[in-house]
Amino acid sequence: MGLRQKGYISMLLRIRYLCYSAIVASLICGLPMTTQATDGISLELNTAIQHDSNCRLHFLLSNNTTHTFSDFRIEIAFFDNSGRFVNHATADFLKVGAHKTVMRSFDVPGQQCVHLGKILLNDDAVCISENGAIHECVELIEPTHRTEILFFK
């Protein structure tokens, strides 16, 4: 084995040692292994369940901001599996406290869940906090989904 190869192996061992050290330090100190956004709003489409002739959507909203919202509404647009616009609605989350997580359910009337392909978080949202309206509210929201239905902005 040449000097060059030994140097390369030595460097890999140092990198491995640093990685293991970081893992051990995080376990001992209780630090998270990944960083999570400390501000912003996570809005997850958690489930879509057929309820009679309606598609019932369950959203999980995590308010990771320091704002308590007395009014939190979003406009969402529905598209079928081929990408054609189906309908739109306003989802009202009512009051959402600072650093709180809430679950809200909304029915899409006359819609079969299996025919929904994607849901767009539109640019029209209302976020009123203790300091008044937040004008770039949609910018704070990060949509995610646990369903086959894509939820995006």
Side-chain angles (χ1 to χ4, degrees):
M1 198 179 316
L3 289 176
R4 215 170 182 195
Q5 250 182 335
K6 286 181 182 178
Y8 179 73
I9 291 173
S10 175
M11 180 182 69
L12 287 177
L13 290 173
R14 278 188 235 139
I15 291 171
R16 183 184 291 174
Y17 173 77
L18 290 173
C19 289
Y20 287 143
S21 297
I23 291 169
V24 170
S26 70
L27 292 173
I28 292 171
C29 299
L31 301 173
M33 286 302 296
T34 58
T35 58
Q36 186 176 8
T38 55
D39 57 355
I41 299 166
S42 171
L43 184 56
E44 175 187 273
L45 175 57
N46 189 272
T47 61
I49 300 170
Q50 196 63 43
H51 187 264
D52 298 326
S53 63
N54 305 323
C55 180
R56 181 163 292 163
L57 305 174
H58 299 273
F59 287 95
L60 187 66
L61 185 147
S62 296
N63 178 8
N64 301 312
T65 71
T66 58
H67 300 289
T68 293
F69 296 103
S70 59
D71 190 3
F72 191 95
R73 288 177 278 153
I74 59 169
E75 183 181 298
I76 46 182
F78 304 100
F79 298 86
D80 66 16
N81 291 321
S82 65
R84 289 191 186 109
F85 173 77
V86 175
N87 203 350
H88 67 92
T90 299
D92 192 345
F93 286 83
L94 307 171
K95 183 177 179 175
V96 181
H99 300 289
K100 297 291 182 184
T101 299
V102 296
M103 174 70 82
R104 297 286 190 260
S105 301
F106 303 99
D107 284 351
V108 184
Q111 181 64 49
Q112 297 292 310
C113 293
V114 296
H115 297 300
L116 276 180
K118 56 187 175 179
I119 299 173
L120 170 68
L121 172 61
N122 232 347
D123 283 342
D124 190 17
V126 174
C127 299
I128 300 176
S129 75
E130 65 279 3
N131 299 327
I134 296 177
H135 298 289
E136 297 299 322
C137 180
V138 173
E139 300 302 319
L140 293 173
I141 304 170
E142 187 59 41
T144 62
H145 57 96
R146 289 185 184 261
T147 66
E148 295 292 318
I149 303 167
L150 175 66
F151 183 42
F152 70 106
K153 66 177 176 179

